[in-house]
Amino acid sequence: MNARAGLSFGIVALSLVMAPLAPAQDRIDKPVRIVVGFAAGGTADVMARVVADKLKDSVGQPVIVDNRPGAIGRIAAEAVKNAPPDGATIMVMPIGPMAVVPHVYSDITYDPVKDFAAVALGSTFQFAIAAGPASGAKNWSEFAAWVKANPGKAAYATSGAGSLPHFFGVLLSRELGVAMVHVPYKGSAAYVGDLISGQVPAAVDAIADLTELHRAGRIRILASSGAARSTAVPEVPTFNELGLKGVEASGWFGFFAPAKTPKPIVDLLNRGINKALQSPDVVEKLTKLGLDPVTGTPEEFARIVASDYAKWGPIVKASGFKPE
């Protein structure tokens, strides 16, 4: 064997010996953290925990939930953005911090499209508008007529300024041709008394936050924002059915990993999350929260994120809203 051949043989042998030491691109080698940007007990937290309980079997590692509440999800987003892209740190996040918040706050330091790998769309939910007794409206047509006849009284409550319901109300106002006044409260529960008593004529919120009051006859949900009627209140028409084609919108909770996470690991997580979302007990728990479990590919979810980010930007800008 000449020197050159011997050197080549040595390089090949060394490569074979060292190959197993390279990090695996199709498995996760340590416990997985699902970071949640909201407090324990909330919808995002429940979503993370029901999936975590099943995901551990698919990835072959313990899966823990790490709550990082504060700053409308921004703290959690920063933590995941800066985590190693090895699949061991992912997050569950609602639509707001990914599609709306970056348009509201100029000091946001993450890009929802470029800084994260979309892993799986976990669930969707609808928005709705509900009327209290102030307008006397029993359906959307009557409410729309009341708004146009009483522009000085037309107002809607939401769970907070800068929230997605806030800007969904802006979208509704645009369709009505009347600038309804936005009345922000500190959470959904805070506006209920004023809505029922007639101090504020309507509320815009996630449909799950309005359903029980609607069933009890204390308010009336007039229309919902989905492509199809909500299974929670199937008697309520969609805006699309009512001819408001530009008001279709869905909220969602989705799973994200840091950008540059290897595709095989993203696919592994996607398969595990989809499997969890098909479990009957998970479906039951999420449905009770007003969520519709959804499965799909990372590519499909990435398109949804990019589309919603592009959709809500002009709406936020047109509202003229500036956070205090």
Side-chain angles (χ1 to χ4, degrees):
M1 180 183 297
N2 60 36
R4 179 173 295 180
L7 179 60
S8 299
F9 178 80
I11 292 172
V12 171
L14 183 61
S15 299
L16 291 173
V17 170
M18 294 187 66
L21 299 178
Q25 297 291 297
D26 59 353
R27 69 174 184 267
I28 300 169
D29 295 323
K30 54 187 175 182
V32 175
R33 285 188 308 141
I34 302 180
V35 179
V36 179
F38 302 89
T43 305
D45 178 69
V46 174
M47 177 87 192
R49 292 181 190 279
V50 297
V51 169
D53 189 52
K54 306 288 185 182
L55 184 60
K56 65 180 186 294
D57 296 326
S58 297
V59 299
Q61 294 289 343
V63 180
I64 61 172
V65 175
D66 180 7
N67 295 90
R68 301 280 189 95
I72 325 175
R74 293 164 65 178
I75 294 172
E78 282 293 333
V80 175
K81 169 190 169 182
N82 296 319
D86 56 8
T89 303
I90 61 176
M91 71 179 178
V92 61
M93 193 68 81
I95 180 176
M98 304 304 281
V100 176
V101 170
H103 298 297
V104 176
Y105 297 91
S106 59
D107 60 345
I108 288 289
T109 56
Y110 65 86
D111 185 304
V113 176
K114 297 178 181 178
D115 290 333
F116 302 96
V119 175
L121 172 60
S123 63
T124 61
F125 60 91
Q126 298 189 29
F127 299 99
I129 185 168
S135 69
K138 296 181 175 62
N139 55 51
W140 171 257
S141 296
E142 291 180 4
F143 180 76
W146 179 85
V147 167
K148 292 175 182 178
N150 300 274
K153 299 179 180 179
Y156 66 98
T158 72
S159 56
S163 64
L164 206 150
H166 171 186
F167 297 114
F168 186 74
V170 172
L171 190 61
L172 277 177
S173 293
R174 190 170 70 184
E175 290 293 322
L176 282 168
V178 176
M180 292 192 291
V181 175
H182 174 232
V183 185
Y185 288 75
K186 293 182 178 180
S188 298
Y191 65 66
V192 170
D194 286 352
L195 179 62
I196 292 172
S197 67
Q199 295 299 307
V200 63
V204 174
D205 215 331
I207 202 166
D209 292 311
L210 301 167
T211 300
E212 291 305 316
L213 291 169
H214 171 82
R215 288 173 178 165
R218 305 183 75 183
I219 63 172
R220 187 182 296 270
I221 299 178
L222 304 175
S224 63
S225 67
R229 294 191 178 198
S230 167
T231 55
V233 283
E235 71 278 10
V236 175
T238 66
F239 287 107
N240 192 43
E241 288 179 70
L242 297 170
L244 281 74
K245 305 297 184 182
V247 187
E248 184 177 316
S250 291
W252 42 257
F253 286 90
F255 292 82
F256 297 85
K260 299 183 180 179
T261 299
K263 183 67 166 60
I265 290 180
V266 170
D267 290 340
L268 173 66
L269 290 165
N270 174 268
R271 289 192 298 271
I273 293 168
N274 283 343
K275 184 178 179 181
L277 293 168
Q278 293 171 322
S279 301
D281 58 326
V282 171
V283 171
E284 181 181 2
K285 289 174 182 176
L286 295 181
T287 301
K288 285 182 178 179
L289 292 174
L291 303 178
D292 296 314
V294 180
T295 60
T297 67
E299 291 77 16
E300 289 168 339
F301 183 37
R303 287 193 290 271
I304 290 170
V305 174
S307 174
D308 282 341
Y309 179 70
K311 173 180 180 175
W312 288 103
I315 296 170
V316 172
K317 184 176 181 180
S319 75
F321 173 73
K322 299 293 183 184
E324 296 180 357

